[in-house]
Amino acid sequence: MTAQAQSQTDAPAAIDASRVAGFESRFVTALNEAAMLQLISLAHRSGLLAQLADGEPVTSSELAAKTELNERYVREWLGGATVAALVEHDPQAMTYRLPLEHAALLTDRGEANLAVFAQYLPLMGQVEDDVLECFRHGGGVPYTRYARFHEVMAEDSGQTVLPVLFDAILPLAPELPARLEQGIDVLDLGCGRGLALMKLAERFPASRFVGYDLSREAIGWATERAARRGLGNLRFEERDLSDFDLTAPAQRYDLVTTFDAIHDQAHPLNLLKGVRRTLRQDGVYLAQDIHASSHHHGDRDHPMGTLLYTLSIMHCMSVSLAQGGEGLGTMWGREKAREYFGKAGFGSIEIHQLPHDIQNDYWVLRP
């Protein structure tokens, strides 16, 4: 090889300046949009958005008084919200208003409060140092390190599960509403704060409900709220489900549910085998879990793919690995789900999507 040919081989690949500029523009936009999510999370938690939901103009002092917050912080938030085009600002009157169109998406005035989801990034950021250590040394981050996780998940399910539980989710198995009215035994695994179970227990007093979750905080919260509401047909239990394939009572339940709970289990296949074991012969397993492909290239067009992979790294995969588990991850996908449901012994496997929920698939499984 000549010296000239060697020089050409060693030369760096040409860089497309237009691609550099395009990605730079995208990156700056992403920084600003991520900052907007932080503003929304703060405003959701502090009550600022709720007070602005009527669309009426207010000054920073008036808004601070209504929310009982510090005026200087409120004023700075309004500045950021103005620049982010979250609120409209009248510089002559020094007033600010949240457009009703924004309020319909960011407060309880609309069908769904998307501000709930803005909490995930700051919440996950709290464990970035822990996750970085896992990149270097393996292992995972335990549930106990995630402050407010079950609180935020309860709000999340309040957007995707609770509003359509009776009208859309239960009818996926057409016989369920009538059977629940008559009285059956129901188990919810990975129940978190148990909001779905409380709603079911109130609606169907003849049925009997049990919820299991690994989190002591979540079970304590759910137990206290269920007692306060007088739900004698509902109980909660703190329980590790890693060996549920062995410990599940045989043919004990008519309906088993999981809501976004399988993918972060330590041993998901053990849990699914336990579900099959504990279902009666005419029982139904209703599973909500993340809509995804089991292959990276299959998720390129997923509308929330980047967020869900990030949540997997920062929580779902990591909490499984912290228990010495499989680390299945949020984006385990339909193909892997079908494989696991089959290995667990389910004979009938149906999959559905609901119009309101781009994030999840809904599976109806029978023995």
Side-chain angles (χ1 to χ4, degrees), residues 262-264 289 312 316-318 320 326-333:
I262 298 300
H263 61 262
D264 56 2
D289 220 290
S312 184
C316 299
M317 181 185 76
S318 189
S320 173
E326 181 177 342
L328 192 60
T330 310
M331 303 295 277
W332 63 315

Side-chain angles (χ1 to χ4, degrees), residues 81-158:
T82 298
V83 174
L86 281 176
V87 301
E88 296 172 348
H89 175 44
D90 182 340
Q92 278 69 48
M94 285 304 293
T95 58
Y96 306 82
R97 67 178 294 271
L98 183 69
L100 292 176
E101 295 79 5
H102 295 187
L105 295 173
L106 298 177
T107 73
D108 292 336
R109 283 185 166 244
E111 293 183 2
N113 185 347
L114 300 185
V116 167
F117 302 100
Q119 299 173 95
Y120 277 117
L121 293 184
L123 183 66
M124 296 301 107
Q126 295 175 12
V127 296
E128 183 177 17
D129 288 347
D130 303 75
V131 173
L132 185 58
E133 284 301 301
C134 296
F135 268 85
R136 291 169 174 154
H137 305 295
V141 182
Y143 271 113
T144 53
R145 288 287 296 128
Y146 293 86
R148 297 186 61 247
F149 178 77
H150 284 286
E151 177 185 340
V152 175
M153 279 300 299
E155 287 192 84
D156 185 333
S157 68

Side-chain angles (χ1 to χ4, degrees), residues 214-269:
L214 183 64
S215 168
R216 178 172 299 177
E217 178 274 327
I219 291 298
W221 190 96
T223 299
E224 189 274 331
R225 292 305 191 282
R228 185 186 299 178
R229 293 161 72 166
L231 298 174
N233 60 336
L234 169 60
R235 66 179 178 87
F236 294 97
E237 182 179 329
E238 178 187 347
R239 186 159 174 178
D240 185 339
L241 298 168
S242 299
D243 61 351
F244 198 58
D245 56 327
L246 303 175
T247 61
Q251 297 191 23
R252 173 67 180 80
Y253 292 97
D254 304 287
L255 170 63
V256 177
T257 59
T258 56
F259 296 104
D260 277 349
I262 298 300
H263 61 262
D264 56 2
Q265 296 296 315
H267 303 288
L269 187 54

Side-chain angles (χ1 to χ4, degrees), residues 13-203:
I15 294 178
D16 186 333
S18 65
R19 292 186 68 181
V20 173
F23 187 73
E24 181 182 32
S25 176
R26 176 187 169 193
F27 186 81
V28 171
T29 298
L31 286 175
N32 279 308
E33 297 295 273
M36 180 186 70
L37 291 177
Q38 178 69 79
L39 290 173
I40 291 172
S41 178
L42 284 168
H44 171 71
R45 296 182 64 192
S46 65
L48 285 167
L49 286 171
Q51 283 296 336
L52 289 166
D54 60 8
E56 294 298 319
V58 292
T59 66
S60 63
S61 296
E62 290 168 342
L63 184 57
K66 287 182 177 181
T67 54
E68 299 182 346
L69 299 173
N70 180 275
E71 190 276 337
R72 182 65 189 92
Y73 278 88
V74 170
R75 186 173 7 127
E76 200 73 1
W77 182 87
L78 286 167
T82 298
V83 174
L86 281 176
V87 301
E88 296 172 348
H89 175 44
D90 182 340
Q92 278 69 48
M94 285 304 293
T95 58
Y96 306 82
R97 67 178 294 271
L98 183 69
L100 292 176
E101 295 79 5
H102 295 187
L105 295 173
L106 298 177
T107 73
D108 292 336
R109 283 185 166 244
E111 293 183 2
N113 185 347
L114 300 185
V116 167
F117 302 100
Q119 299 173 95
Y120 277 117
L121 293 184
L123 183 66
M124 296 301 107
Q126 295 175 12
V127 296
E128 183 177 17
D129 288 347
D130 303 75
V131 173
L132 185 58
E133 284 301 301
C134 296
F135 268 85
R136 291 169 174 154
H137 305 295
V141 182
Y143 271 113
T144 53
R145 288 287 296 128
Y146 293 86
R148 297 186 61 247
F149 178 77
H150 284 286
E151 177 185 340
V152 175
M153 279 300 299
E155 287 192 84
D156 185 333
S157 68
Q159 311 296 311
T160 57
V161 175
L162 300 185
V164 297
L165 183 59
F166 300 132
D167 295 333
I169 296 177
L170 290 180
L172 293 174
E175 75 275 22
L176 277 182
R179 293 190 67 190
L180 284 161
E181 290 280 4
Q182 294 166 2
I184 58 174
D185 294 298
V186 181
L187 175 64
D188 185 27
L189 300 170
C191 65
R193 290 191 166 190
L195 296 183
L197 278 180
M198 291 184 213
K199 193 166 185 176
L200 287 166
E202 285 181 333
R203 178 70 170 265

